[in-house]
Amino acid sequence: FADAQFRAISGVGILVGIIRWLEFLAIGIYAFDQTGSAFLVALLALFRLSPLALFGIFIGSLADVIDTSRLLRVGIGLMTIVSLLMTILFVFDLASYYLVATATFISGIFWASDMSLRRKLIGDIAGSDRLGAGMAIDSAISNGTRLIGPLIGGFIYQWLGGAGVFFTMALIYLGSFLFAQSIVPSKAQVAPNVSWLRQPILSAKEAFKYAISRQEILSVLGITIIVNIWAFPMFSMIPVIGKAELGLSASVIGVIMSLWGVAGFLGAMIIARQAKSKHFRLYYFYSVWIILISVFVMGTIPGPLVISLGLAVAGFASAGFTTMQSTLIYQLAPIEMRGRLFGVLTICIGSGLVGLANIGFMAEHFGASNALWMVALEGVIPMAVIGFTWRQLWKRQGTG
């Protein structure tokens, strides 16, 4: 934090993270209030994730050749405008589920830029010696915003409705834009290649080819896919379980969901202080097992206390996953391909589209709580396969 650049990028991370989780909860409750459908709530989350799969690699390609800090500022500025427009629509009672879904899709495009832009900037600022600590602190910030965002979102939606939610988002985006003004271009930026900029599909093909040729990168990406298909989609069901099965208010649901952030913040700060390079893979692998077990327990014994404890345990474990996901990719990627491989990672995060469709279908047919333990069981098999095939996972060595 003595580094002014790190303080600036952390400020952006704090404010954008608050918006993300504020929106995730408040818009999920809005969708359920408007439609009464668990599937449409999951579909709204799907709209948020789809841009990760559609645009992640292309944003990553741009991040390798264009000033990453400038791209970040452009994205924040556009999201400020979108939030203000949605505020106006709600004030004049013109908003609808479909307009909110459109705004959510645009928000997803900005989210798709997070790995390739903001997290890449963190790696560039931190350098190899501070990489693990830098990513862990960013993970702590992200988890801290999971505490603040749902708390704010639940209370604002309950008191001020959709207009209050989107106006709050616009103000916070404006603050993050001011932080982003202090971020200077990365010295590690590769000089632009005009011919490459004209061939984004070829650029994406090169990134995929490189990832496929490296078994360890495939393992990292594979676990990311597992988490986003069979673990994290459970978030879309928490508002449904809270409202439909437990009869909780929006503010109480926000408090319960914030426990993920509290525990995740503590876990990430512990990693920032204690993590050694030789243990990075083990943190990454075992944290996912803990998350899956927590989701399974929440589904089999649903109740306010069990959901609260399950979210706290999963949140603590998620610190290992979110920190090491970015750290391992940054370490394993050549400097000229970091943006693109972060783009590939973003596409893998976008696999949550499948997970949201899956959990939405199961919730519609078997109930929201039953959907949790079903998807958790599905994730066990691919995790076991990766555990047996990832040779470097069991070697007592650093990254080389």
Side-chain angles (χ1 to χ4, degrees), residues 9 15 40 88 142 187 198 276 280-281 283 340 385:
I9 198 67
L15 296 181
L40 289 179
I88 294 171
S142 176
K187 296 178 181 179
R198 293 173 181 171
K276 301 293 188 294
F280 284 176
R281 297 170 183 83
Y283 284 128
R340 282 175 285 171
V385 171

Side-chain angles (χ1 to χ4, degrees), residues 16-31 44 48 79 82-83 86 100-108 110-111 145 148-150 152-154 157 165-166 169 172-173 239 257:
V16 169
I18 290 172
I19 292 171
R20 179 173 302 148
W21 300 112
L22 179 159
E23 178 190 30
F24 195 94
L25 174 72
I27 298 307
I29 297 175
Y30 166 83
L44 202 60
R48 181 182 288 103
M79 287 312 303
V82 170
S83 299
M86 287 303 300
V100 169
T102 301
T104 300
F105 180 80
I106 297 172
S107 177
F110 178 69
W111 191 7
T145 63
I148 301 170
I152 294 175
Y157 180 76
V165 169
F166 279 100
M169 289 168 57
I172 299 175
Y173 272 126
M257 287 190 68

